[in-house]
Amino acid sequence: MSSYQDTLDYLFNQFPQYQKIGFKAYKADLSNIQFLCESIDNPQNNFKTIHVAGTNGKGSVVHMLGSVLQHAGYKVGIFTSPHLVDFRERIKINGDLISRDIVVGFVQKYKPIFNKINPSFFEWSTCLAFHYFDNQKVDVAVIETGLGGRLDATNILLPKLSIITTIGKDHQNILGNSTEEIAVEKGGIIKENVPVVIGSQIKDEALITLQKIAKRKNSTIHFPQETDLIDTDLKGDFQVYNSSIVSKAIELLKTHFQVNEDQLKSGLQNVVANTGLRGRWEILHSNPLTIADIGHNEQAVKFICKELEKINCKKKYVVLGFSEDKNIDNILRMLPKAYHYILTEATSTRSQSSELLNTKMKGYPNTIEIKNYKKAFLWAKSKATNEDLIFVGGSAFLVADILREFFPS
């Protein structure tokens, strides 16, 4: 394997990848990641970490925290998933992607271990991130769970702080059908004697469940306050909730990291510039206004619909696609019938059939099915005037395809 692309092809084909095959790639066991990390002297124990889980908002919170700590002068690693355009988006230090040479070198060196235990794609990625952050001597790494928390590969960490952003229904075939069951999985990142921040949107049974877990672990729970709300350059009112989580987190981390009020505010107002985060209510074009967001579950779509309703324009064109493992019936009921929907499919093998989606949306008067995502987006562009809106969403994979094809940087 002499090239970066050859290396990625090998990894994508060799190992199960949730982004590609879904549930079959999920391993409800930490033995593989423990073996991998022990094989390279447990790099995850050599730097400070902050661990973030949640149904929605965790990627934004990770990048906000990274931006604030970076703005305060620290060397900050970020590990998130999935990537949208380039695999290297998952692993960054101070906004810079991990180099292709390091990815290639890591795979070449540790390929025998991969062949021996056959880890999942995500387990491999997690091990690579820990190794890279250790090797680069980061001051802190902000780590996002891939799926759930309790049995997620990232959960071999002993962080300085745990954060749970929201609890909603998503990945029910893995995490459970009720918010209590999902809260048990997300709450699995709560560690003995390690404080946890819980987002203000978490209520009722989910909150009670997390409180019980924290009590068992002797972990103190902290909640964001209304006074913690700070504007951020990430668009959408829901990001204000995320910024309040970050503000509370910085307050709790003061014994480890010195961040003043100006650094907190500046970091939150320069998240995109500092970290390169994409796909979160991202404005892709102004004429016509074109927005993309990777939100793909009931909770996220509810927020998205609220934001779309606030925008004053003549017509709203929604380029829409979903993954096949999503229960989309409840999501579809949230979508306003006045919008114009272009139903399409991402290149992912997990994409929901646009034909099936069209059948489910027969009650919507303004729909058209265009299976090819490129043609679907171009059709929307051909119809929309500068007084209209184009929105791309429903699936992170669809957003990734549109970004890669039409807005690569």
Side-chain angles (χ1 to χ4, degrees):
M1 292 176 293
S2 57
S3 75
Y4 174 65
Q5 190 57 53
D6 288 342
T7 301
L8 289 189
D9 291 343
Y10 167 77
L11 292 171
F12 291 162
N13 293 324
Q14 183 75 11
F15 303 109
Q17 181 190 173
Y18 185 84
Q19 191 167 349
K20 189 174 182 181
I21 65 174
F23 174 74
K24 295 177 183 178
Y26 182 70
K27 290 190 176 183
D29 187 300
L30 296 180
S31 60
N32 273 4
I33 190 63
Q34 288 168 342
F35 177 86
L36 288 173
C37 287
E38 286 171 3
S39 299
I40 57 174
D41 299 324
N42 286 311
Q44 76 281 359
N45 296 334
N46 297 332
F47 50 89
K48 295 175 182 178
T49 57
I50 303 162
H51 202 191
V52 184
T55 303
N56 292 298
K58 58 184 181 293
S60 295
V61 166
V62 166
H63 284 81
M64 285 180 180
L65 266 173
S67 178
V68 169
L69 291 167
Q70 178 183 335
H71 219 74
Y74 294 99
K75 189 174 185 179
V76 186
I78 285 178
F79 178 56
T80 57
S81 61
H83 62 275
L84 296 179
V85 178
D86 186 339
F87 163 79
R88 298 180 303 136
E89 296 167 27
R90 295 169 179 252
I91 304 170
K92 296 180 280 193
I93 295 178
N94 285 8
D96 294 327
L97 309 185
I98 185 172
S99 77
R100 292 178 175 85
D101 288 344
I102 289 176
V103 175
V104 173
F106 184 84
V107 173
Q108 289 178 332
K109 184 174 182 178
Y110 295 107
K111 183 180 175 183
I113 295 178
F114 293 6
N115 290 339
K116 187 184 299 184
I117 67 170
N118 191 32
S120 71
F121 177 86
F122 187 73
E123 288 166 338
W124 169 84
S125 303
T126 303
C127 188
L128 169 61
F130 292 164
H131 176 271
Y132 180 58
F133 296 151
D134 180 29
N135 183 263
Q136 295 296 311
K137 300 293 185 287
V138 298
D139 296 310
V140 59
V142 192
I143 307 293
E144 176 190 10
T145 59
L147 182 61
R150 183 175 65 93
L151 298 173
D152 187 75
T154 62
N155 205 30
I156 62 170
L157 296 172
L158 182 60
K160 299 301 179 184
L161 179 69
S162 302
I163 298 173
I164 302 174
T165 57
T166 59
I167 300 289
K169 292 185 177 181
D170 197 10
H171 304 296
Q172 289 102 308
N173 58 333
I174 298 174
L175 302 181
N177 290 312
S178 69
T179 53
E180 298 101 307
E181 290 175 310
I182 295 170
V184 167
E185 297 303 316
K186 306 289 186 187
I189 72 165
I190 298 174
K191 298 298 196 304
E192 201 79 31
N193 299 311
V194 175
V196 57
V197 177
I198 293 179
S200 61
Q201 301 297 296
I202 300 177
K203 303 180 187 301
D204 304 323
E205 291 86 357
L207 177 57
I208 292 170
T209 300
L210 294 178
Q211 287 172 326
K212 289 178 179 177
I213 295 172
K215 186 175 181 180
R216 287 200 306 270
K217 298 290 183 69
N218 195 34
S219 168
T220 56
I221 290 181
H222 301 267
F223 299 96
Q225 306 298 320
E226 290 298 321
T227 54
D228 293 334
L229 303 181
I230 299 174
D231 287 338
T232 170
D233 62 333
L234 298 182
K235 306 302 180 184
D237 286 351
F238 50 86
Q239 294 292 3
V240 177
Y241 295 110
N242 292 333
S243 75
S244 71
I245 291 172
V246 172
S247 181
K248 177 58 67 173
I250 291 298
E251 176 188 325
L252 295 171
L253 289 164
K254 61 187 176 183
T255 58
H256 303 286
F257 307 104
Q258 299 302 309
V259 181
N260 63 42
E261 192 68 21
D262 288 340
Q263 291 166 337
L264 172 63
K265 290 180 179 179
S266 295
L268 286 172
Q269 290 165 359
N270 291 279
V271 178
V272 175
N274 286 341
T275 69
L277 179 63
R278 302 199 66 184
R280 275 70 170 184
W281 204 256
E282 182 176 355
I283 297 175
L284 303 174
H285 202 265
S286 55
N287 292 307
L289 179 61
T290 305
I291 300 171
D293 193 278
I294 65 171
H296 56 268
N297 52 51
E298 291 180 37
Q299 191 178 61
V301 171
K302 183 178 180 180
F303 278 121
I304 288 169
C305 287
K306 284 183 178 180
E307 293 298 320
L308 288 173
E309 284 299 299
K310 295 175 187 176
I311 298 175
N312 185 23
C313 61
K314 281 194 172 181
K315 293 180 180 179
K316 294 174 183 176
Y317 293 90
V318 179
V319 182
L320 187 66
F322 294 98
S323 293
E324 64 180 355
D325 56 353
K326 299 295 179 187
N327 183 354
I328 62 173
D329 292 339
N330 289 340
I331 291 176
L332 295 181
R333 281 191 280 269
M334 298 179 193
L335 302 179
K337 291 190 176 182
Y339 295 177
H340 297 256
Y341 295 95
I342 304 93
L343 311 179
T344 191
E345 298 178 17
T347 55
S348 166
T349 55
R350 293 172 51 207
S351 289
Q352 177 79 257
S353 161
S354 57
E355 183 179 3
L356 176 61
L357 183 56
N358 196 25
T359 300
K360 286 178 174 287
M361 295 187 70
K362 283 299 182 186
Y364 289 71
N366 304 307
T367 61
I368 182 172
E369 179 198 348
I370 303 177
K371 183 174 182 177
N372 182 285
Y373 76 91
K374 297 179 190 177
K375 293 179 179 179
F377 183 72
L378 290 173
W379 187 92
K381 284 188 66 177
S382 72
K383 296 296 182 181
T385 71
N386 288 346
E387 296 177 311
D388 298 330
L389 164 76
I390 299 174
F391 177 80
V392 179
S395 162
F397 306 119
L398 176 59
V399 171
D401 284 339
I402 295 297
L403 292 181
R404 188 181 303 110
E405 182 68 27
F406 298 101
F407 307 94
S409 61

